[in-house]
Amino acid sequence: MPIALISAFAGAALFFLIARFVLRRKVIEAVPASMASAYANAGNIGLPIALFSVSSAVPAISVLASQLLIIAPVYLTIFSFISRSAQPGDTSTGKLILKSVANPVTIGALIGAVLSLSQWQVPAVIWEPLDMLGHASVPLLLMMFGMSLIGQTPFRTREILADVVLGTLVKLAVRDITFATSLLAFPAILVIGLVLAP
C-alpha cells in the first residue's frame, strides 16, 4: 500500500501543479482532475486482470483499499474545503472533515478491512452465494466495461484536450517512474511493491 500511495499522490501533485500553473486551470477544475490522475481502475479492470493473470485479487484489492480508505477521504475533504471557501458557511473544520470521511463507501471499506484483519470466517450459508457472485463478477465486469466504451469520444472536447493528455502521461509514465524509484530506494519491499503497484 505505501508504494501505491506514493505513486498516486506524486502523480496527483504533479498533475495539479502543471494544470494550475501551466494550463492555468482554476483550483476547482485542477483538483478533481488530479484525483482522476491518482486513481487506478482497480475495479473494472484491476480485478479481472489480477484474477486472470495471477489467480488472485490481492493486487487489485490492495490498490482499491488504498484508494477507498486514504485517497478518497483526503480528496473529499479537499473538495469540502474548496466548497466552503467558495460559499462560506458556519460549518466548523472538524464537522467538515467528519462529513467528508464518514461517507458510506469509506465506512464500508473500513468495516471490510477490520473484518479481514480479524480473520472472521463467514458462515457457509452466507459465503457460498457470495462466492458464486464473486466468480461471476469477472466476466460481468469486463462486459460492463466494454459496454461503457460504446459511444465514448474522449478527445471531442478540445478545451480539455491538454488535461486528458496530461492525465494520461501522468498515469502511464510518472506513476510508473515513481513506483520504480521506490523499488530501487527500498529493494527489500520488491515483492510487496509488485503486488501494490498501481
Side-chain angles (χ1 to χ4, degrees):
M1 191 178 293
I3 293 178
L5 289 174
I6 290 169
S7 64
F9 281 121
L14 180 63
F15 181 97
F16 177 82
L17 291 173
I18 296 175
R20 185 78 179 92
F21 299 108
V22 177
L23 301 179
R24 301 294 181 183
R25 302 294 186 236
K26 297 177 182 178
V27 172
I28 200 166
E29 296 172 338
V31 170
S34 73
M35 180 182 182
S37 68
Y39 257 64
N41 195 347
N44 286 340
I45 291 296
L47 283 171
I49 289 178
L51 287 170
F52 178 76
S53 58
V54 296
S55 301
S56 173
V58 172
I61 291 172
S62 301
V63 176
L64 273 174
S66 66
Q67 291 179 168
L68 294 175
L69 294 174
I70 299 173
I71 297 175
V74 167
Y75 270 100
L76 288 173
T77 304
I78 293 172
F79 294 154
S80 297
F81 279 108
I82 292 173
S83 298
R84 188 174 72 171
S85 64
Q87 298 177 344
D90 298 330
T91 307
S92 66
T93 300
K95 287 183 178 179
L96 205 65
I97 295 173
L98 184 62
K99 285 174 65 176
S100 302
V101 174
N103 64 80
V105 175
T106 303
I107 292 173
L110 185 61
I111 292 172
V114 169
L115 290 175
S116 178
L117 290 173
S118 69
Q119 297 183 346
W120 177 65
Q121 296 295 320
V122 181
V125 68
I126 298 174
W127 175 252
E128 291 300 329
L130 293 177
D131 188 47
M132 290 174 60
L133 288 173
H135 286 296
S137 66
V138 175
L140 287 175
L141 282 170
L142 289 174
M143 287 174 58
M144 289 173 60
F145 181 70
M147 292 167 62
S148 71
L149 295 178
I150 298 175
Q152 294 293 323
T153 51
F155 299 111
R156 180 176 56 188
T157 309
R158 298 295 178 182
E159 292 80 8
I160 61 169
L161 180 60
D163 304 71
V164 173
V165 173
L166 175 61
T168 303
L169 290 175
V170 166
K171 279 197 172 186
L172 294 179
V174 176
R175 290 187 63 182
D176 290 333
I177 291 170
T178 306
F179 168 69
T181 305
S182 301
L183 290 183
L184 291 175
F186 307 102
I189 55 174
L190 173 62
V191 176
I192 299 175
L194 289 173
V195 171
L196 303 181

